[in-house]
Amino acid sequence: MSRIRSRTLVLGSLLVAVAACGKGNSGDRVGPAQASAPLANSATPPTAPVAPLPPPKLEKVELVIGAIASTMTFDKTTLTVPAGAEVHLVLSDAKPGTLMHNWVLVKPGTEAAVAAAGLPAGPAGNYVTAGPDVLAFTPLAKPGGTSEVTFQAPPPGSYPYICSFPGHYLIMKGTLVVAGEVVAALPEPAAPTAGLASPAAEKLFATRCVVCHGPTGIGDGPGAAVLDPKPRAFSDAAWQASATDDRIFKTIVEGGPAMGKSAGMPPNPDLADKPDVVKELVRIVRAFKKG
Ligand SMILES: [Cu+2]
């Protein structure tokens, strides 16, 4: 008698857990990896005998990752899941911050390409353009909010995850390790700044800076829409007169917060050992001056 009862309880709570997992709480979930067909089966009427179909061998894994307030960093740079698992990941964006973030799992070496491809999607499209390189992603989470995604773990290996909000991916990243028997060699963690090794500063500005500062430097790039404060217009002669080359140089490399400015201006740590490129960027910023 008591044994039957406890069995029913276990089954009941399993159903609750499955239902809770499928429903989520942020209301605005998107994501190609969302469709978890097996979950639909849990709606079988309670009169049916236990598990009419042998359930697929799915291990469910719950992951929680945070964006640290006012920084462009995840609070975990490594996540591990078993091969074949169904992964439910919740991203929470810490409260005092002002930045929006997402979590995008990508194929190794495609970080920059995925971030660039996501730009035209804009904030409404979560800065993600679905494609073969995007394995799973959460929608953007607002400060103090969460967003989530459910997806099937990819084959064993190491996969980069990034925030694809404009300018964040260079530092806002980590690695998802899918543990299991590795048949083929692990994908090499690609050099993070591969395509940027010897770029013309102009190309760098056109790909990285225009996102927020706009093609004419007045601060009207697509990434600026959600920024507060907005990037100032580089055309502002008074600002040009007050800013030293050294300050502009440092702002570019170290980012806004290091210079007492907003975190909306991301650092560019990959340029720290490329002073010539940064000097060229300073010259580009100067060239927008009017009046
Ligand atoms: Cu971010």
Side-chain angles (χ1 to χ4, degrees):
M1 181 58 170
S2 68
R3 191 189 287 163
I4 291 174
R5 212 224 245 113
S6 68
R7 228 224 214 138
T8 316
L9 275 177
V10 169
L11 177 62
S13 50
L14 266 178
L15 286 173
V16 167
V18 167
C21 180
K23 229 180 270 154
N25 53 9
S26 69
D28 57 351
R29 41 217 285 283
V30 191
Q34 214 66 246
S36 317
L39 293 186
N41 290 340
S42 60
T44 7
T47 48
V50 180
L53 297 168
K57 212 182 90 213
L58 266 189
E59 186 174 343
K60 296 197 176 178
V61 180
E62 294 289 330
L63 295 177
V64 176
I65 188 166
I68 300 175
S70 298
T71 68
M72 279 170 278
T73 38
F74 287 119
D75 62 358
K76 298 186 183 86
T77 51
T78 311
L79 298 170
T80 306
V81 299
E86 181 185 289
V87 183
H88 176 231
L89 176 138
V90 176
L91 165 70
S92 70
D93 191 0
K95 245 247 184 60
T98 54
L99 300 171
M100 305 220 293
H101 304 289
N102 62 7
W103 182 91
V104 186
L105 185 67
V106 305
K107 286 195 185 150
T110 67
E111 297 94 317
V114 168
L119 293 177
N126 299 300
Y127 292 111
V128 175
T129 300
D133 295 337
V134 176
L135 303 176
F137 68 95
T138 71
L140 286 170
K142 297 188 184 75
T146 63
S147 66
E148 60 191 286
V149 63
T150 301
F151 62 98
Q152 192 81 38
S158 298
Y159 301 84
Y161 55 81
I162 58 169
C163 168
S164 69
F165 189 95
H168 290 196
Y169 82 95
L170 282 169
I171 50 171
M172 193 157 185
K173 58 188 176 182
T175 306
L176 175 79
V177 177
V178 180
E181 284 181 40
V182 182
V183 190
L186 278 180
E188 278 294 302
T193 54
L196 301 166
S198 61
E202 265 172 41
K203 186 175 165 211
L204 201 68
F205 191 89
T207 52
R208 208 182 278 185
C209 317
V210 290
V211 170
C212 297
H213 290 280
T216 59
I218 60 165
D220 62 349
V226 293
L227 290 175
D228 179 22
K230 307 271 181 227
R232 78 174 61 246
F234 290 147
S235 54
D236 181 342
W239 170 74
Q240 287 279 1
S242 72
T244 63
D245 282 359
D246 186 49
R247 240 191 110 72
I248 296 177
F249 186 105
K250 276 200 170 134
T251 308
I252 294 170
V253 175
E254 297 175 19
M259 306 301 289
K261 303 209 154 243
S262 104
M265 170 62 205
N268 293 278
D270 60 318
L271 298 182
D273 57 358
K274 299 193 183 73
D276 293 346
V277 175
V278 182
K279 276 182 199 150
E280 281 299 307
L281 283 171
V282 173
R283 214 176 299 165
I284 291 171
V285 169
R286 291 296 195 198
F288 288 117
K289 177 182 169 216
K290 286 219 179 90

